[in-house]
Every structure is written in C-alpha cells, then in structure tokens.
Amino acid sequence: MDALLKNTQWKGRRGPVLLVIMDGVGYGEYRDGDAVAAADMRHFRALESACPATKLKAHGKAVGLPSDEDMGNSEVGHNAIGCGRVFSQGAKLVGNSIATGAMFEGRVWKDLVANTAASGGALHFIGLFSDGNVHSHLDHLSAMITRAAADGVRRVRVHALLDGRDVSSQSALDYILPFEGFLAGFNAKGFDYRIASGGGRQYITMDRYNANWDMVKRGWDCHVRGIGRRFASAADAVAAYRAENPQLIDQDMREFVVCDAKGPVGTINDGDSVVYFNFRGDRAIEITAAFEDEKFDRFDRGPRPAVFYAGMMQYDGDLGVPKNYLVTPPSIDRTIGEYLVASGVKSMAISETQKYGHVTYFFNGNRTGKFSEALEDYIEIPSDRVPFEQRPWMKCAEITDRVLTAIDSGAYQFIRLNFPNGDMVGHTGVFQSVVCSMESMDIQLGRLAEAIRKAGGVMVISADHGNSDDMLEHDKKTRKAVLDKDGNPKAKTSHSLNPVPCVIYDPECKGEYERSLVEGLGISSLTATCLNLLGFVPPADYDRSVLSMKA
C-alpha cells in the first residue's frame, strides 16, 4: 500500500491525535430517560461549548444498514470509523442474499440440506431470537425454515437466544408465541419443527472476546446435550422464569430445555446440520470454536457430535472461521490503520475486554492482528466480571491511566480508545447506573484534555452509536414514556437512532480550518478528520472530513 500524501500547508501538531470513542453515547430525542443529559458531564460540556462541534449520524444507511429505521451498533460503527467509508453490512447482505435466492443456490445451503437427507438428522438453527437486526433478524430465520420445508427437510430444531437488549427488555413472548404458531403451520403438513432450547443472550452462548467461557459452556450443554431446566415449551419456560422474578429481563434469563415424555426434543447429534444464524461475528466466534476446533480446550464438550456446521457469515476472515458460511461478508480494505503503517505513523489502540475487539478487529475491517508489530501497540485492560450496573465506572480510569502514560511518552502520533460505559451499562436499563457511568467517564475526559493540552495534541471526541441517551421506551405518537403494568416507566435496553457527538479539542489550533464543522455527515467522516489533523491528505474515496481546510 502506498503512503499517504502529506499536507504541504500543514504538518499537524507537536502532540498526538487522540480519538476517543464514547461507546453508546448520543444526543437524546427525549429529555426523560436521557442519562447523558441527566449526568454531570462538566468536562464534556465545557469542551462541547468551547470547541468546534457537530453531530454525526451513526445508524441506518450512514453505517451500511438496510434502512434508517435500523439501529447502529458497535461492530458496524467501528468498521465505518476505521475504514472511512460505508460498506453494506451483515443485515443488508443477508437480506439481499435471501431475497435474490442466492443463499439457497449456494453450496453451503445445499450441503446442509443434503447432510440431513443422507443421515435422517435434524437441521438446527441457533441464534439471537428477535428482530433487533444488530446480530440477527427473525425474518432471516423464518425464510430459511420456509426454504428447508420446500427442500424436504423433515426435522428442524430452533435454539432461541432471548434478546431483551436490542429490543424491549421483556419482549420474549412477543417473539416466541407467533413463532410457535409459524412452526405449527409446518407441523400441520407433516413436518416436525420445534423450538428445542434457549436462554438469555447474556447468560448462555453469546460471549465474546474470551470474557466468560462459562456462558458458552452453558449454551453448549443446553443446545447440544440437552442439559438444563426442563419445560414443555419455550413459552412455558419464559412464563415460569418471569413468575419467579418479575423484574428478570430477557437477556439474563436462565437456560431452558424443551422436553416431551421421551426427554429433550432437540439435542444435537451425529449426522445433524447446524446453522448459527447470527450475521454479526463478535458473539459468534466462541460457540463456533466449540463446534469446529479439533483442539478445543476451553471446557469439556463431552462427545462432540459429527455435524455439518455453518455460520450465517464468515466471522473471522483471517482465521477462516467458520469453515462454511452462507453469505460472504463485506470485503473492507484500506483502513486508516493500514494507511498509517504505510506512512510510518506509530499508533496505539486501547480498551477493556468488552470493547477491545472493536477498537482493533472491527476497526481494522474485520481483520485479526496488527498490520505492523513495530508501529502498532494494542492494549487490553481486563474487564470486571460482574454485572455492569454494579460497577458502572468499568475500567475507564485504568484505560485513561495507560493513555496518559502513552501521551507523556511522546512515542505515538495516533491513539484510539474506546470507553465502553455508555453501551455496556446502557444495556442494563438501570438509569442510576448509567448516569454514574457517564459521570465516571467524564472525569476521564477531563484528565485526557489536560494531557492533550500539555502535549500540544488534538483530541477528537465521538461515539459509534447511541444508547445511554435513550433509556426509556416512548410512544412515538404521544412522545410520552411507556408505563409497565405497575405504572412505572418502562426501561429501554437497546441502542438508539440518535446522532452522536463530534468535538475537536485542538488547543494549539492556528486557524488551519474553519471553526464551523461540516454538518449532515456520518461517523465514517471521523477517519478523514483524523488524517487531516495528522497532517495528511485523506484518500480521495474516503468520506469527507468534518473539517473545512483553509488554503
């Protein structure tokens, strides 16, 4: 790759460019339920009012999703920020593949079907059971089941990971009951299609970044071996757990195994086919390893069934995981990381475990590893393994400690960090904790600003999507908070459709660019902005910078 062209009119600052990604922090549409507005964020507010600032789009088409009704998420957000352009992302690619029939004409789908025909086995679908469109969409699952019936697959089993995070926090039955009716239509025609197991996404199966392999083991035992609390149906399971704890949200629900008089109805056995139908990769890699890795040692799998396993997409192109997949992921190239290495720029990426992969793997265009051992340092701060609402400050102070050392060293020209607080605590739905998380993070922004001032650098503050800015369910027509059965405002745990900040703190600015930032752009414009501030001319096909450079 060629080096970037230098801006002959401006060579950058004496200190580093620091990109701060406040994960899940946006500008709320509603005052009530906006934890960002409710928090004492005095350092951020001071910077926002004194510095060039604008709002950026971080959802829908601005990050490559099918429509502007689709929430942004950390994966596509970091893809966009890292590569400076917008690529069609998982949801859109899968939807197109189903609509055109390309998925079902491909080798992998045909092999899945042929395997069950040859063995007399079942076709299993494991994945996030909602229409949140962040990791998966039920429409995709329904389309595959419909096609399986058309292709003569007699037995289908669904292993439902309950959401309550990208959708309403206690909405599981809103999906399960209609879906059981959908399956009943096939059973009336002589098929045997059932929901076989499940549980909350934060309790089983969907771990990421090696944070908690016990989650994956619980999922494996539940889906594959039929080990777990037994119920006559998925609906019965949800009703029972809810009766025992009315405050339990779907993402934390314990495992359930659907059984009849003979026992579990859907264990995964030799000769079966398995589809993990999430299209997003971060929470798919670990369960995939349990199915595919011959040298797997994270937990005792028991007898590993000989199955034909496929992912909805390839979750890691460098590692070739999974071996079989239904839809080809976007090919994201020429990221800012690649360009900076080609240009001899020393950089650092840092976050805690929960978002470490976002500021490295996703930021680098879904690529594992560094572009250069000599020019890049990646630092992971181990996350606490406690519920985030109980420790909402997370590791923002520790992240800041390491960044301050890096700034003081003078070794780096570009540093990127992710503060996970607004997203990870935002997903809990606990308003007090989210406010605390914002105030904890704001203290660190103050520390970073002072270090940047002393070093003569630039700090760009932004986010990958909204979340903590929208913590209550609202009726779109009345604009009032939705109340639960007890008359209390209903907590919202999903991402928002709100814009996110873009603030440029440049204490040694010499008027190289207009103070008013360009409006109406998306977060992909952060890439060209950072390159401008580093003294480079962004690639011609990168989305334009928020800066209007002076001649």
Side-chain angles (χ1 to χ4, degrees):
M1 174 177 286
D2 293 335
L4 293 160
L5 295 175
K6 293 184 177 180
N7 183 345
T8 58
Q9 304 300 313
W10 179 30
K11 301 187 183 302
R13 300 281 175 251
R14 61 187 178 93
V17 172
L18 171 63
L19 174 61
V20 178
I21 301 171
M22 304 185 299
D23 210 298
V25 176
Y27 288 106
E29 180 180 358
Y30 307 99
R31 187 71 182 181
D32 57 330
D34 185 343
V36 179
D40 178 0
M41 296 183 66
R42 63 187 65 183
H43 298 293
F44 175 73
R45 301 299 176 208
L47 291 167
E48 182 187 40
S49 62
C51 301
T54 189
K55 298 178 181 179
L56 299 176
K57 299 174 184 176
H59 74 284
K61 295 178 181 179
V63 289
L65 297 173
S67 79
D68 285 337
E69 295 303 311
D70 293 310
M71 298 173 293
N73 60 67
S74 298
E75 176 193 27
V76 300
H78 284 78
N79 277 169
I81 298 169
C83 73
R85 294 156 288 156
V86 177
F87 286 79
S88 291
Q89 291 288 345
K92 187 173 183 178
L93 292 172
V94 172
N96 289 342
S97 184
I98 290 173
T100 62
M103 175 187 291
F104 306 119
E105 296 304 317
R107 175 193 63 82
V108 173
W109 177 263
K110 291 181 178 180
D111 286 351
L112 286 162
V113 171
N115 182 61
T116 62
S119 66
L123 174 56
H124 298 261
F125 295 95
I126 307 172
L128 189 60
F129 198 76
S130 80
D131 56 2
N133 218 28
V134 173
H135 291 265
S136 68
H137 199 295
L138 269 183
D139 286 354
H140 301 160
L141 175 60
S142 298
M144 289 189 290
I145 290 175
T146 299
R147 180 59 183 241
D151 287 343
V153 176
R154 307 309 301 176
R155 284 198 298 137
V156 164
R157 295 294 184 264
V158 176
H159 305 271
L161 304 175
L162 307 183
D163 194 342
R165 185 179 176 101
D166 299 326
V167 294
S168 295
S169 60
Q170 293 186 324
S171 59
L173 290 178
D174 295 339
Y175 298 104
I176 288 172
L177 294 176
F179 199 82
E180 287 184 336
F182 168 72
L183 295 181
F186 294 101
N187 294 333
K189 299 175 183 177
F191 293 94
D192 179 11
Y193 288 7
R194 301 188 67 173
I195 297 177
S197 73
R201 58 180 283 179
Q202 288 296 100
Y203 186 72
I204 64 170
T205 311
M206 281 180 62
D207 184 45
R208 66 179 177 196
Y209 308 149
N210 304 310
N212 186 357
W213 277 94
D214 287 344
M215 285 175 58
V216 188
K217 182 181 188 302
R218 289 192 289 265
W220 179 268
D221 288 346
C222 177
H223 311 317
V224 177
R225 306 175 70 186
I227 299 172
R229 187 172 171 183
R230 297 184 169 193
F231 297 91
S233 70
D236 286 352
V238 172
Y241 280 127
R242 192 85 73 222
E244 293 167 3
N245 180 5
Q247 304 307 314
L248 181 67
I249 59 178
D250 297 340
Q251 63 179 341
D252 296 326
M253 197 165 289
R254 289 346 189 209
E255 82 291 336
F256 62 84
V257 177
V258 175
C259 298
D260 58 17
K262 298 179 181 179
V265 302
T267 56
I268 299 176
N269 305 301
D270 290 347
D272 288 351
S273 294
V274 180
V275 175
Y276 193 76
F277 65 86
N278 286 13
F279 48 73
R280 175 168 158 174
D282 57 343
R283 295 190 184 274
I285 289 174
E286 292 175 32
I287 189 64
T288 296
F291 275 103
E292 290 195 335
D293 190 352
E294 296 288 344
K295 300 180 179 179
F296 186 85
D297 61 0
R298 296 290 186 167
F299 56 81
D300 181 9
R301 293 178 291 188
R304 180 168 65 107
V307 302
F308 187 91
Y309 177 86
M312 180 64 87
M313 304 186 77
Q314 188 174 48
Y315 304 127
D316 190 319
D318 293 327
L319 298 178
V321 172
K323 298 180 181 70
N324 298 292
Y325 49 94
L326 291 163
V327 180
T328 301
S331 178
I332 299 176
D333 61 355
R334 298 186 300 109
T335 64
I336 186 175
E338 294 176 88
Y339 273 118
L340 293 180
V341 164
S343 306
V345 173
K346 178 82 170 177
S347 67
M348 183 177 106
I350 181 171
S351 188
E352 61 178 278
T353 304
Q354 289 296 330
K355 296 292 180 175
Y356 172 74
H358 290 82
V359 82
T360 55
Y361 172 82
F362 289 120
F363 197 92
N364 289 339
N366 306 334
R367 181 186 187 279
T368 300
K370 301 174 183 176
F371 295 108
S372 168
E373 288 292 336
L375 291 173
E376 294 181 298
D377 288 329
Y378 294 172
I379 298 174
E380 176 184 358
I381 306 295
S383 289
D384 293 320
R385 292 178 63 175
V386 299
F388 301 116
E389 69 272 19
Q390 296 179 12
R391 202 162 294 168
W393 45 87
M394 299 185 69
K395 294 297 183 180
C396 61
E398 289 88 339
I399 293 169
T400 302
D401 291 343
R402 297 293 292 270
V403 173
L404 295 183
T405 299
I407 293 171
D408 188 59
S409 74
Y412 303 97
Q413 295 163 267
F414 181 61
I415 302 170
R416 60 185 186 264
L417 71 84
N418 180 298
F419 285 136
N421 306 58
D423 191 42
M424 302 310 297
V425 186
H427 280 307
T428 70
V430 181
F431 190 82
Q432 181 187 27
S433 295
V434 183
V435 170
C436 179
S437 79
M438 291 294 95
E439 294 178 348
S440 302
M441 182 185 68
D442 186 68
I443 292 170
Q444 309 314 316
L445 291 178
R447 297 174 68 201
L448 291 170
E450 177 61 16
I452 284 292
R453 184 191 66 78
K454 289 180 179 179
V458 186
M459 180 164 64
V460 180
I461 305 172
S462 192
D464 54 345
H465 58 78
N467 182 338
S468 51
D469 44 283
D470 193 12
M471 296 299 301
L472 294 178
E473 297 280 356
H474 282 84
D475 184 299
K476 292 184 178 179
K477 292 183 179 179
T478 65
R479 299 183 60 81
K480 294 182 178 179
V482 176
L483 303 181
D484 62 20
K485 62 180 189 235
D486 297 320
N488 299 312
K490 191 174 181 181
K492 182 179 178 182
T493 55
S494 61
H495 296 170
S496 74
L497 301 177
N498 295 326
V500 301
C502 176
V503 178
I504 311 291
Y505 175 54
D506 185 3
E508 295 189 359
C509 181
K510 301 176 181 64
E512 296 92 342
Y513 51 86
E514 300 291 344
R515 179 174 173 80
S516 296
L517 302 183
V518 180
E519 297 182 352
L521 302 178
I523 55 175
S524 56
S525 291
L526 290 167
T527 326
T529 303
C530 289
L531 290 176
N532 280 156
L533 295 168
L534 285 164
F536 293 109
V537 178
D541 63 341
Y542 268 28
D543 289 341
R544 70 155 301 169
S545 169
V546 301
L547 302 175
S548 296
M549 306 301 295
K550 294 181 181 179

